[in-house]
Every structure is written in C-alpha cells, then in structure tokens.
Amino acid sequence: MVHVIASIHVKEGHMAQFVEIFKSNVPKVLKETGCIGYVLTVDLPTGLPPQDLNSKVATVIEKWRSLEDLQAHLSAPHM
C-alpha cells in the first residue's frame, strides 16, 4: 500500500473555490483502479495549542494499492 500526504498551496482568497473543485473530482478519483482513499483536509481553528493555522494550504491524504496505481492516477484525464 502507498500512502501520500500532499500539501497544496492555494492562492490567497481562493480556498473555497479550490475545495469545491476538489470535491467535485473526488468521485472520479475514487473510481480509479487501486484507489483506497482520497481525502482533502484544511486547517480549522480549534484554539488548542500548539496549532499553527495556514489558510493557504490544503492537505490531501491518499491511499493507493500500489505505486503503479498512483502513477496511473497522476496521468488520469481528470487530473
């Protein structure tokens, strides 16, 4: 199994638009061969120390059955 944690830097003021576009693509990715999980996370203020918020970074957590499946994902038309 291959785990990917990818940080995506989003232009200031464009996070909401990015999240909507990302969410619309999730069903396509989940249908790909070997995709076990594909989730977007963003910082949410909790007030708990030592949290350091970054409103311009989205983190994608992915799980793939194999490196070959991940490589195929990277060249998929919807990516």
Side-chain angles (χ1 to χ4, degrees):
M1 185 178 317
V2 177
H3 295 261
V4 177
I5 300 175
S7 296
I8 300 170
H9 296 265
V10 180
K11 286 184 181 180
E12 184 81 40
H14 288 84
M15 184 61 77
Q17 180 184 12
F18 172 80
V19 168
E20 288 307 311
I21 292 168
F22 186 94
K23 286 171 35 176
S24 72
N25 199 40
V26 169
K28 295 173 190 171
V29 175
L30 292 174
K31 289 180 184 176
E32 291 180 44
T33 300
C35 183
I36 298 167
Y38 193 74
V39 178
L40 179 68
T41 66
V42 296
D43 284 349
L44 177 68
T46 64
L48 299 172
Q51 186 178 25
D52 184 22
L53 295 174
N54 189 335
S55 63
K56 295 187 281 182
V57 174
T59 303
V60 183
I61 302 169
E62 307 176 36
K63 284 199 262 182
W64 295 91
R65 184 185 64 215
S66 69
L67 182 57
E68 293 77 21
D69 292 329
L70 173 58
Q71 289 169 330
H73 160 70
L74 296 174
S75 64
H78 51 272
M79 294 307 294

